[in-house]
Amino acid sequence: MFKTYDEAVSWIKGKSIRGIDLGLKRVEWMLHRLENPEKKVHFIHIGGTNGKGSTLALLQSILLESGYSTGSFTSPSIEGMKEHIHVNGEPISETEFIHLANVVKQVTEEFEAETGWSSPTEFEILTVMMFYFFAYMRKVDFVLLEVGLGGENDSTNVVQPLIAIITNVSLDHTNILGSTTEQIAVEKAGIIKENGLIITGCMDKEAIKIIRKKAALELAELFVLGENFTFQSQGSKRIEELFSYTYNGHTINNLSLKMMGTHQVENASIAITASLLLRERFEKNITENTIRKGLKKANLKGRFEMISHEPCIILDGAHNEAGIQSLVTTLRTRFKNEKFVFIIAALKDKNYKKMLSMLDDIADCMIFTQIDMDRALNAQDLAKESKAKERFIFENWEEALQKGIQLANDGKTLIVTGSLYFLYYARPYLMEHYSGM
């Protein structure tokens, strides 16, 4: 039995040695032993290459403003393992986490003793903990469930959700999901269920064909951004997006977001559509006013998060080509004539060469670092792929942050990016040590 949070975390992290192993049979076995908690909860399942966390945060804020209780399951966590599971936007307690770990440890040991299959992975254990928690420990109106990786073979894909969402499809995890957008789209579309409701913001022509085909096969009703619902920018400020939204002939004007970038307006439009479908199809009390207030209050750690204004320090977990492109676009349109310093750590399985080429185009200075993780790229190897004239290399990420703050205090804008796993270390360090917070 685990008595402390650290003991529980250490046991779960010990399962990470197996890495990623997609498939549902281990999770299904464990859930069956726990009397199928995944069947006792109302889920909204959120997949896609980028924007899952933002869409979840936006929808959660609308639901909370509408008076509904929410749970959420996200990955990776930014500030600790218990932050994978939230209730009403707040992480579960260490006591709750310890109890969950003890329950699932027993089931894991039974699984290993009885099946002869490979042991469950870290993510599978966390997933089972989450299902158990919301079924038996903390009842909520809705659980917003973020896909871990891919879709069809992700361990979250054992649910029958009220609504499924595919934010977008682009190249990522190509060593696992496939080398083309079409192959990745097949995996993402795997969360579409028979007679379900599916919302997508996918713009890729080939990917949307696959999503349409899967929806038709499952007799699912599909809602596509740009067709069934639209948005129109109404201007922007340095720290705010203004837009209108139209669905089914009705327009909601003068909406605002603190989450910056056109991509966040897209995510917000998906979240609004999900809210309206909950109202239409499930008779939930969600109004135009609660949508407006919810969007305005929404925020998300590590997604273009400005943690200091003077000097300007931004955290953005852009971890692939599409994410970096959105980051660059937002910086160019909202922070004109400013000098940018980037601190970046990246993973080996990302297209970091392409990511760096986009950052090189706007960087005044690049700082390369690394984190202690098997998938992490060495700072020296990362720096070799950059053409930035001014550069610094620190194997110690704390030293990299200290250098970045020094440059930010000289009037430059500091952006910490490259991986959400890097932000797991960087964000709490900056919040604790930087006096300007």
Side-chain angles (χ1 to χ4, degrees), residues 307-326:
I307 62 173
S308 174
H309 291 274
E310 293 183 5
C312 186
I313 301 177
I314 296 168
L315 304 182
D316 192 79
H319 58 280
N320 54 31
E321 295 174 59
I324 291 291
Q325 184 60 65
S326 293

Side-chain angles (χ1 to χ4, degrees), residues 159-177:
V159 298
Q160 296 291 328
L162 299 178
I163 298 171
I165 294 170
I166 301 173
T167 55
N168 51 52
V169 179
S170 59
L171 294 175
D172 195 18
H173 297 289
T174 53
N175 59 321
I176 299 171
L177 301 180

Side-chain angles (χ1 to χ4, degrees), residues 12-28:
I12 296 169
K13 284 187 174 180
K15 300 296 183 180
S16 67
I17 192 170
R18 288 201 47 232
I20 298 169
D21 187 4
L22 296 179
L24 302 181
K25 69 175 185 178
R26 290 178 295 273
V27 166
E28 288 175 335

Side-chain angles (χ1 to χ4, degrees), residues 264-304:
Q264 296 294 13
V265 179
E266 294 172 1
N267 295 330
S269 298
I270 292 170
I272 297 170
T273 305
S275 302
L276 294 177
L277 287 177
L278 288 173
R279 184 174 73 181
E280 289 180 1
R281 307 302 174 87
F282 303 99
E283 299 182 342
K284 301 304 177 182
N285 185 28
I286 299 171
T287 68
E288 182 175 316
N289 190 44
T290 59
I291 288 172
R292 187 183 307 281
K293 288 183 177 180
L295 292 180
K296 196 164 188 175
K297 291 181 179 180
N299 61 78
L300 183 63
K301 294 175 182 177
R303 271 69 163 195
F304 211 93

Side-chain angles (χ1 to χ4, degrees), residues 334-346:
R334 303 294 186 275
F335 296 78
K336 295 178 180 178
N337 303 317
E338 297 195 24
K339 293 184 177 181
F340 302 117
V341 176
F342 291 92
I343 304 178
I344 183 169

